[in-house]
Amino acid sequence: MLIHSASQLLTLHGGPQHGKKLGELGIIPNGALLFNGGKIRAIGSTHELMAAFPDEERLDAGNCVVMPGFVDPHTHLVWAGDRSAEFEMRQEGKSYLDIMAAGGGILSTVRATRAAEITELKAQTRLRAWEIFQHGTTTVEAKSGYGLELSTELRQLEVLVQLDAEMPLQIVPSFLGAHTIPEEFTDNPQAYTDLICEQMLPAVKDWCQSHTSHLTLPFVDVFCEQGAFDLAQSRQILEAAKELGFPLKIHADEFKNLGGANLAAELGAVSADHLVKTSDDDILALAESGTVAVSLPCTPFGLGEKDYTASKKILDANGLMALGSDLNPGTAWCGNMQFVIALACRAMGLTPAQAIASATINAAAAINLQDQIGSFEKGKQADLLILKVDDYRHLGYRFGINLVRAVIKKGTLFNLGEETQPC
Ligand code: NIG
Ligand code: FE
């Protein structure tokens, strides 16, 4: 299929964008793109591609921006239950960490997730997966972490593997058995840390290797935070995971700086995420290491907090910054990357172009998929959005509505309803 006459075709070509280079959209006015077999075959002006490929099926994208699908590199997509009561408690003055210490928070979702059969867990997750796909996310990272015991953690991973196979949304799993200390280990957090290292990680690896679809290893992530895993425990888990060949991620500096970002840099983690309380030295360490700095502005927004990731410092240090949603039932039930972009512009001072690059090619780098997705380049996956607007700056400028008219995933077109036929 040849998509043509796009008012702006955003190619984002040239690889992940470090520091001051962030925001190079590679705009082709009156642009066109040819794909077949799920892959991008040619990119150029409408004039050039129409002449070169006169016989291809055509789709007119006049007055529309055409851009790569959003990549969301950090979500907790799979859970059961909800925590609306906690939102009310927070509005009444309790803090997230207080609620967590009192046995609510993550542990309340753990109780609901452990109790849910796989069909129920999958049904709840599928609804959210469709919702984010319709808002333009074509690839999403999704974590376990609401089981905190092997069987439920594997059930979460199984849901993700099944939905990835059944839906157009591409789902990249992470094992977050180290999300918090489960109730049965409250008195002995170190014993749970040892259990993760000695039993859960090897079992997850075995499960991947013996799974019918021969899975590649997921990321291993740790919530390095007061009330969850301290720095020494985070190091123990990540080093054990690295030894087993897992790629690494970390939740660092969401509420307190325990040194998690520095640890990520030292261990060569693919990304360090949240980074709200990160020190200047840790920002430099991340930038030098090549670990992607993933900012999740929906989290402070969702918690009504003032502080956000120091994006300017990351860019001044020539760091590689990405944006994600952190979609989860506790701090940020929002997987809409258009809202993430609008928020990052206002709360972190990004331009629309910087936020778009952070949510596409740089987000792809945060899940090690920069060679397959996140930009328009020959041979990459045909993951595209057709927006209802003719200028990319409407992303960021506008918020609270869906600007996506159609989503194309691996070359298959999904129109978003009667009112939103492709241009
Ligand atoms: O990224 N920080 C840890 N995990 C989530 C919150 C999960 C929850 O509250 O259920 C986060 O904010
Ligand atoms: Fe998270």
Side-chain angles (χ1 to χ4, degrees):
M1 181 181 278
L2 178 64
I3 298 195
H4 64 88
S5 308
S7 57
Q8 297 174 335
L9 188 94
L10 314 184
T11 65
L12 281 300
H13 70 278
Q17 303 182 3
H18 289 256
K20 298 279 162 46
K21 283 202 172 330
L22 185 66
E24 293 181 357
L25 298 182
I27 301 175
I28 304 179
N30 193 12
L33 182 145
L34 177 80
F35 61 87
N36 62 38
K39 295 271 165 66
I40 296 169
R41 302 298 173 191
I43 304 142
S45 71
T46 294
H47 179 72
E48 280 163 4
L49 265 60
M50 288 247 205
F53 304 100
D55 302 327
E56 295 289 339
E57 183 189 351
R58 291 182 179 182
L59 182 66
D60 186 343
N63 298 318
C64 293
V65 169
V66 174
M67 63 172 290
F70 297 124
V71 178
D72 186 345
H74 184 133
T75 77
H76 303 254
L77 186 67
V78 47
W79 79 80
D82 90 284
R83 310 227 297 270
S84 46
E86 287 183 10
F87 175 60
E88 190 173 55
M89 285 162 76
R90 288 204 306 272
Q91 292 311 106
E92 287 165 355
K94 288 227 162 52
S95 80
Y96 179 81
L97 290 181
D98 290 344
I99 294 169
M100 183 163 146
I106 295 170
L107 289 177
S108 90
T109 302
V110 168
R111 288 189 283 276
T113 305
R114 285 181 177 180
E117 301 281 349
I118 190 160
T119 43
E120 179 54 29
L121 193 56
K122 190 171 164 186
Q124 293 192 26
T125 305
R126 185 193 283 110
L127 288 176
R128 293 188 284 267
W130 273 115
E131 225 165 60
I132 65 173
F133 184 73
Q134 289 171 345
H135 285 82
T137 297
T138 47
T139 303
V140 67
E141 183 266 7
K143 304 171 196 300
S144 66
Y146 291 120
L148 311 183
E149 63 186 6
L150 186 61
S151 59
T152 311
E153 290 286 319
L154 290 182
R155 188 154 77 247
Q156 286 191 280
L157 292 175
E158 181 63 37
V159 165
L160 295 171
V161 171
Q162 289 184 17
L163 290 178
D164 173 65
E166 292 166 15
M167 298 177 61
L169 179 68
Q170 184 175 346
I171 303 177
V172 175
S174 294
F175 172 68
L176 181 59
H179 199 182
T180 194
I181 310 296
E183 275 162 314
E184 56 279 19
F185 285 91
T186 310
D187 297 335
N188 195 354
Q190 187 55 42
Y192 183 60
T193 306
D194 294 342
L195 183 81
I196 292 174
C197 297
E198 290 159 19
Q199 296 182 30
M200 292 172 92
L201 289 173
V204 170
K205 186 169 175 175
D206 286 349
W207 178 80
C208 290
Q209 288 169 345
S210 59
H211 197 279
T212 42
S213 46
H214 302 289
L215 305 167
T216 51
L217 291 184
F219 290 96
V220 167
D221 195 346
V222 177
F223 187 20
C224 179
E225 187 60 62
Q226 179 187 306
F229 295 84
D230 66 23
L231 188 65
Q233 292 163 338
S234 301
R235 173 185 286 281
Q236 185 186 337
I237 292 163
L238 292 177
E239 283 182 345
K242 189 172 177 176
E243 185 69 30
L244 289 167
F246 289 94
L248 309 180
K249 286 182 170 284
I250 193 166
H251 281 65
D253 312 329
E254 181 175 353
F255 299 102
K256 306 265 186 278
N257 183 341
L258 303 190
N262 204 286
L263 178 66
E266 180 196 325
L267 297 180
V270 176
S271 75
D273 302 30
H274 283 290
L275 307 176
V276 176
K277 305 289 181 189
T278 309
S279 69
D280 293 357
D281 282 351
D282 289 357
I283 285 175
L284 287 177
L286 278 180
E288 277 165 21
S289 69
T291 296
V292 182
V294 176
S295 175
L296 308 164
C298 284
T299 310
F301 179 81
L303 293 171
E305 286 176 0
K306 295 186 314 295
D307 294 339
Y308 287 77
T309 307
S311 56
K312 191 172 176 315
K313 288 183 178 174
I314 293 172
L315 300 182
D316 286 348
N318 203 33
L320 190 56
M321 194 178 71
L323 286 169
S325 71
D326 198 21
L327 170 61
N328 77 76
T331 58
W333 192 331
C334 174
N336 177 357
M337 290 297 284
Q338 298 168 62
F339 180 71
V340 174
I341 287 169
L343 188 53
C345 289
R346 285 161 186 78
M348 293 161 55
L350 299 188
T351 63
Q354 289 175 324
I356 290 169
S358 300
T360 52
I361 185 61
N362 283 13
I367 50 172
N368 253 342
L369 289 180
Q370 64 275 17
D371 295 335
Q372 294 168 44
I373 57 174
S375 64
F376 292 158
E377 272 153 307
K378 268 193 210 171
K380 276 189 143 182
Q381 255 173 229
D383 293 0
L384 284 68
L385 306 179
I386 303 176
L387 304 184
K388 295 173 188 173
V389 291
D390 63 1
D391 187 300
Y392 74 86
R393 288 168 289 205
H394 283 262
L395 280 175
Y397 170 43
R398 290 164 69 176
F399 53 93
I401 49 153
N402 190 2
L403 298 178
V404 174
R405 173 162 289 177
V407 182
I408 294 169
K409 178 63 185 176
K410 294 183 185 165
T412 301
L413 171 70
F414 297 83
N415 278 322
L416 302 185
E418 287 292 297
E419 299 293 305
T420 53
Q421 291 302 308
C423 323

